[in-house]
Amino acid sequence: MNVQQLVLWNYPTTVVLTYALFTPKFDEIKISSLPFQLYFPLMLLLPTLFIFIALAIKYSGIVKTDVAQRMSLFIPLLASFFIFQEIIQINKVIGIIVGLIAVACSISWSKGHNSKSSRNSIYPILVFVGMGFIDILFKQIAQYKDIPYTTSMFLIFVGAMFVGVFILLYQTLLKKRAFDKSAILWGLMLGLFNFANIYYYMKAHRAIADNPSIVFTAMNVGVIVLGSIVGIVAFGEKLSLINKIGLALAVLSIFLIAYL
């Protein structure tokens, strides 16, 4: 399936759901109050990062991609302390150190991989960095008082959809790649999960506004464990000993940060 086209068809669903459920009212909003410095990076990052996630899964597998995606929480965790002024606690510092070791172990490749596979291991790293900055931007939008966060969601999804359209036009018109009809249905279904993920993530930040590190971490344990089980059991992915150690350290680090 063409991943770029899958990305495009994900966003019409998110746009329609956001508008239908929250009916944003733009007549009460001044353009000067919109935080475009937060909107524009997210409009670009959301669709393009989907592509890097797909490439990471292709070359490194579901398990390593899931760990890279979820352990990106260390970037917003650092932001919690240095930007959002959360009090630094020793268990969280230890958890961050353990987590960085976990990331290094989890996304490393075995000696048996060829050089091409090793070069393509850059994709989990890009996922790690990209997801971290997305988390920070969404946290800032959730705390922004002048605009309802549901309205911000709608505007971001619309912008991301236009970026997706640009990607599709580039692929079909300039690269002469075929239009993938099967991507439409799966992309629209993907949009349901994308919408729910971002909506509840931002809702959690509103509910636990004084302790963002809990939100950054609590959502990640289940994703890492479930994603790993699916990758190993359903898709027969193989992990080296160092990868397994990294997976265990990832879960340990999140418990250190969130629950001690």
Side-chain angles (χ1 to χ4, degrees):
M1 189 176 298
N2 188 295
V3 175
Q4 289 84 356
Q5 295 181 32
L6 185 73
V7 168
L8 166 63
W9 294 110
N10 148 72
Y11 286 105
T13 300
T14 61
V15 169
V16 170
L17 283 174
T18 308
Y19 188 83
L21 294 177
F22 307 122
T23 56
K25 297 178 175 59
F26 298 103
D27 53 342
E28 303 173 359
I29 296 175
K30 296 180 180 179
I31 295 180
S32 59
S33 65
L34 295 174
F36 289 108
Q37 74 278 11
L38 302 177
Y39 288 172
F40 287 146
L42 282 169
M43 291 173 182
L44 182 63
L45 278 172
L46 286 176
T48 53
L49 195 66
F50 259 123
I51 297 172
F52 287 125
I53 289 172
L55 291 170
I57 291 173
K58 178 178 179 180
Y59 291 108
S60 299
I62 293 175
V63 177
K64 294 181 183 180
T65 303
D66 252 350
V67 172
Q69 185 176 351
R70 292 301 142 188
M71 297 311 289
S72 65
L73 67 94
F74 293 108
I75 296 174
L77 270 180
L78 293 175
S80 297
F81 302 135
F82 297 109
I83 297 178
F84 303 121
Q85 300 180 340
E86 185 174 340
I87 298 175
I88 297 177
Q89 298 175 356
I90 186 63
N91 64 295
K92 294 181 180 179
V93 174
I94 296 173
I96 289 174
I97 295 173
V98 173
L100 292 175
I101 298 172
V103 171
C105 294
S106 299
I107 65 178
S108 66
W109 53 86
S110 62
K111 295 180 179 179
H113 285 189
N114 55 38
S115 59
K116 181 179 180 181
S117 177
S118 299
R119 288 196 301 270
N120 287 325
S121 292
I122 189 66
Y123 295 124
I125 297 174
L126 292 174
V127 171
F128 173 78
V129 175
M131 287 300 302
F133 281 102
I134 284 176
D135 282 350
I136 293 174
L137 292 168
F138 271 128
K139 167 63 178 176
Q140 290 178 308
I141 288 175
Q143 289 188 329
Y144 196 75
K145 303 299 183 183
D146 295 337
I147 306 293
Y149 72 94
T150 51
T151 301
S152 292
M153 281 180 61
F154 176 77
L155 294 173
I156 291 167
F157 284 143
V158 169
M161 183 173 65
F162 279 112
V163 173
V165 170
F166 175 80
I167 293 172
L168 176 63
L169 293 176
Y170 174 78
Q171 291 289 327
T172 56
L173 297 181
L174 296 181
K175 290 292 186 178
K176 305 298 182 182
R177 294 185 180 174
F179 185 80
D180 188 354
K181 294 181 180 179
S182 63
I184 298 176
L185 176 61
W186 292 108
L188 293 174
M189 291 178 61
L190 177 63
L192 293 172
F193 295 99
N194 191 22
F195 166 82
N197 175 47
I198 293 175
Y199 170 68
Y200 285 109
Y201 181 72
M202 295 178 73
K203 193 175 180 67
H205 272 304
R206 283 290 181 95
I208 317 176
D210 295 332
N211 201 349
S213 65
I214 294 294
V215 181
F216 286 139
T217 55
M219 65 176 288
N220 291 287
V221 175
V223 174
I224 290 177
V225 173
L226 181 60
S228 300
I229 292 173
V230 171
I232 294 170
V233 176
F235 295 97
E237 293 184 7
K238 305 296 182 183
L239 299 182
S240 66
L241 177 59
I242 193 170
N243 295 151
K244 294 176 182 178
I245 293 173
L247 183 61
L249 289 175
V251 176
L252 173 62
S253 68
I254 292 174
F255 276 106
L256 284 172
I257 293 166
Y259 301 112
L260 292 184

